[in-house]
Amino acid sequence: MADIFTATAGITLEKVIFAVVGHPNKGKSSIVSTLSQDDSINISGYSGTTTKATCYQVKTARSGYELVDTPGFQRPTKVIAWLNQHAPTANLRAQAVSDFVADPQCQQQFPDEVELLTPLIKGAAILYVVDGSRPYGAEYEAEMEILRWTGRPSMALINPIESEQYVAEWERALTQYFKIVRVFNPMTADFTRQIELLQAFAHLNPNWASTLNTITEDLQQQRITQKTNSAMILSRLVEDLCFHRDSQKVLNQQQAKIIQPALEKKYKSWMLARENQAICELFANYQHFQIEIDLGQLDLPPDLFDLDKWYAWGLTKQQLVSAAALAGAAAGVTLDIALAGHSLMLGAIGGGLAGFGSAWFGADRLAQLKLHGLPFGGYEACFGPIKNRNFPYVVIGRFIYLSRQISERNHANRNQLSFAATDFQQNVTLLEKSTQKALHQACDKLIKQQTVDNLQTILLPLL
Ligand SMILES: Nc1nc2c(ncn2[C@@H]2O[C@H](COP(=O)(O)OP(=O)(O)OP(=O)(O)O)[C@@H](O)[C@H]2O)c(=O)[nH]1
Ligand SMILES: [Mg+2]
């Protein structure tokens, strides 16, 4: 680990490195995991999970910094006694820490402290982590004293693991040792909190300010790109699912009947596999690689073909009627768009256009077997594409639901995905009227297997 590196044409920038240190099991690895967006980092309820100092490169488009995860202090009182013996005066303290790390006997006796102090003597700044749900105690003073001896810039982070009960008490103690003290919960800190923390890092060393600013800008841009990517993944998914059909040549109607179950199965499994693929792409877009997807466990309808649950994920029947009006889907029907969604309008449609509703919903059947005669004899039996009007909305609703959860999920969070039900219908009504109209027109086209040029742009506001 070098202190200095050359950035561009002759400008020398100091490398930004933080070592995350503290007592065992206080969330050090969790903090590294969330800030580096790396869900492969080992986190557990067992004390002593991290045994080696490990450096994680946080790379952004134009810049980056390093976070070193370290094992917790094990015998800080003994270590400070050793240091006291080896540095009679304050000017020798930093050297005493270096000597401690280099001493073969210390390496054997205090492996964890040697591991955690090594990055500090190589130039890393200190992020000292404590648990704000446990009371402060004098036993932490030896740890903070050792850190002070390194002479490195430092900051304390209070992680309220279970509660904020002792945060104030910790703040009073920590400000005695650290100029900057922040509360940061790696499980729940949202993007804004993470950016605020990065900006606080800049106060540790003025030379780092410009690098940290670039990193902040890059991360903000990354969020925008991730949303655009999600919209692209969704637009491809909904188009593929709406257009898909499976077919097989048969000699006669009887043969078609025989192959129907197999063809239907093939069709459905393709559709489900395609949706799963999009979900994997979505997770990868947010750098979540360790989440096992088991849609059955989510509070989602177990599969795309569960008709009973459809209206929870797509639009309500009433909304579908408004959608028809907004999309201008029914030939010859012109309605005042400003009235869309208003109950009066629904009444007008119900009264004035008897039978229109059921035509709009389409058959409740998702897809049916169809037989087409072939020019040189025989038939083509085919399954799909889906004709139900609500189908594109269901696909979009499910994806939006997952997308919102995953975009807000911190990488330290290893809990299973368990979601409260969301309200896709409400999401749609909250959109600008013109955006709603564009969405309904797009879904209307999709269900007719017509391509929609700017589908990605239309879907973006939903994300
Ligand atoms: N509920 C909750 N649990 C947390 C939070 N932060 C950490 N934990 C849990 O605390 C435990 C320790 O987290 P780690 O990040 O592994 O802690 P560590 O300090 O790296 O631990 P060692 O490597 O053993 O020193 C794990 O069970 C985490 O899931 C939090 O903010 N909220
Ligand atoms: Mg750890």
Side-chain angles (χ1 to χ4, degrees):
M1 216 184 297
D3 282 10
I4 302 286
F5 77 108
T6 306
T8 44
I11 306 166
T12 310
L13 292 175
E14 211 170 319
K15 203 169 186 177
V16 184
I17 312 171
F18 300 95
V20 184
V21 298
H23 221 61
N25 214 29
K26 298 300 179 197
K28 299 181 293 298
S29 301
S30 306
I31 287 174
V32 174
S33 171
T34 285
L35 291 180
S36 62
Q37 301 184 39
D38 184 340
D39 64 354
S40 72
I41 296 173
N42 214 352
I43 292 174
S44 91
Y46 296 105
S47 182
T49 304
T50 309
T51 53
K52 292 274 170 229
T54 311
C55 187
Y56 296 91
Q57 310 278 342
V58 185
K59 286 200 179 119
T60 66
R62 294 168 299 160
S63 191
Y65 68 106
E66 291 176 13
L67 282 169
V68 189
D69 190 15
T70 66
F73 281 100
Q74 294 294 341
R75 301 152 91 188
T77 327
K78 292 213 161 109
V79 174
I80 199 72
W82 189 99
L83 291 173
N84 268 315
Q85 277 174 4
H86 292 77
T89 53
N91 59 323
L92 299 172
R93 285 180 176 174
Q95 185 54 48
V97 179
S98 291
D99 295 344
F100 171 85
V101 166
D103 185 292
Q105 240 184 342
C106 292
Q107 289 169 3
Q108 214 174 23
Q109 226 178 327
F110 308 104
D112 297 287
E113 279 80 4
V114 167
E115 279 291 317
L116 80 93
L117 290 171
T118 301
L120 300 180
I121 60 163
K122 288 188 178 174
I126 297 165
L127 296 181
Y128 180 62
V129 181
V130 301
D131 176 3
S133 53
R134 296 285 169 87
Y136 173 72
E139 68 271 24
Y140 295 93
E141 284 171 16
E143 296 177 3
M144 295 191 282
E145 197 56 32
I146 295 168
L147 296 175
R148 186 151 67 180
W149 278 48
T150 64
R152 299 302 305 153
S154 61
M155 175 170 175
L157 296 179
I158 307 173
N159 173 15
I161 293 188
E162 275 160 10
S163 73
E164 304 222 344
Q165 197 178 348
Y166 297 98
V167 167
E169 185 175 309
W170 270 105
E171 274 169 345
R172 284 193 292 275
L174 290 167
T175 45
Q176 295 290 315
Y177 290 86
F178 301 90
K179 267 200 237 112
I180 308 173
V181 178
R182 288 278 189 283
V183 177
F184 185 79
N185 186 332
M187 303 282 272
T188 57
D190 62 13
F191 182 67
T192 315
R193 298 290 302 220
Q194 294 178 36
I195 292 293
E196 276 168 12
L197 185 64
L198 264 183
Q199 280 163 351
F201 288 172
H203 298 297
L204 290 180
N205 183 342
N207 295 339
W208 292 349
S210 96
T211 304
L212 287 163
N213 267 341
T214 311
I215 292 169
T216 303
E217 284 169 17
D218 285 354
L219 289 174
Q220 279 158 342
Q221 184 53 47
Q222 183 194 43
R223 294 291 288 183
I224 297 169
T225 311
Q226 281 168 330
K227 274 204 177 148
T228 319
N229 287 345
S230 299
M232 187 179 65
I233 297 167
L234 174 57
S235 67
R236 287 178 183 162
L237 170 71
V238 69
E239 209 170 63
D240 282 358
L241 293 186
C242 286
F243 289 17
H244 185 67
R245 66 201 277 276
D246 266 305
S247 64
Q248 196 176 320
K249 279 183 190 151
V250 286
L251 292 172
N252 50 43
Q253 292 195 7
Q254 212 184 355
Q255 208 181 18
K257 272 202 175 132
I258 296 169
I259 63 141
Q260 172 166 354
L263 199 56
E264 182 170 357
K265 196 173 162 199
K266 189 176 167 206
Y267 172 80
K268 285 190 172 182
S269 40
W270 187 92
M271 300 281 275
L272 292 174
R274 180 65 188 84
E275 194 195 36
N276 261 320
Q277 180 204 329
I279 293 169
C280 287
E281 286 168 10
L282 172 71
F283 287 4
N285 181 33
Y286 286 96
Q287 297 176 59
H288 283 283
F289 298 104
Q290 310 294 323
I291 301 175
E292 284 188 19
I293 318 167
D294 180 357
L295 286 180
Q297 284 183 338
L298 303 183
D299 191 14
L300 282 170
D303 70 57
L304 273 172
F305 303 99
D306 188 344
L307 276 179
D308 290 346
K309 304 240 174 88
W310 263 44
Y311 286 106
W313 291 96
L315 297 185
T316 62
K317 288 197 180 200
Q318 279 199 340
Q319 277 184 312
L320 279 172
V321 174
S322 325
L326 268 172
V333 179
T334 44
L335 283 161
D336 184 354
I337 284 163
L339 282 176
H342 196 280
S343 57
L344 277 177
M345 189 202 69
L346 296 174
I349 289 177
L353 298 159
F356 166 70
S358 61
W360 171 254
F361 298 132
D364 249 353
R365 303 273 312 259
L366 288 170
Q368 285 167 290
L369 184 78
K370 285 184 219 96
L371 273 186
H372 308 289
L374 291 172
F376 301 107
Y379 298 88
E380 182 189 48
C382 74
F383 226 93
I386 252 172
K387 289 293 177 198
N388 192 300
R389 291 275 172 191
N390 214 356
F391 183 71
Y393 296 101
V394 174
V395 175
I396 295 167
R398 284 160 67 91
F399 188 91
I400 299 290
Y401 176 75
L402 282 171
S403 165
R404 291 195 170 184
Q405 308 310 316
I406 211 71
S407 66
E408 283 158 22
R409 184 180 170 95
N410 285 350
H411 291 75
N413 185 353
R414 308 295 160 84
N415 299 329
Q416 257 193 337
L417 285 173
S418 67
F419 303 146
T422 54
D423 196 342
F424 175 64
Q425 287 107 15
Q426 209 194 352
N427 289 343
V428 172
T429 43
L430 289 176
L431 293 174
E432 289 266 314
K433 281 285 175 278
S434 59
T435 317
Q436 281 191 45
K437 185 182 173 188
L439 173 70
H440 297 320
Q441 282 174 335
C443 288
D444 182 51
K445 278 186 150 185
L446 286 167
I447 214 65
K448 293 174 188 156
Q449 287 78 55
Q450 294 167 5
T451 48
V452 183
D453 291 338
N454 48 352
L455 189 53
Q456 186 181 340
T457 322
I458 295 167
L459 295 170
L460 194 59
L462 278 164
L463 293 149

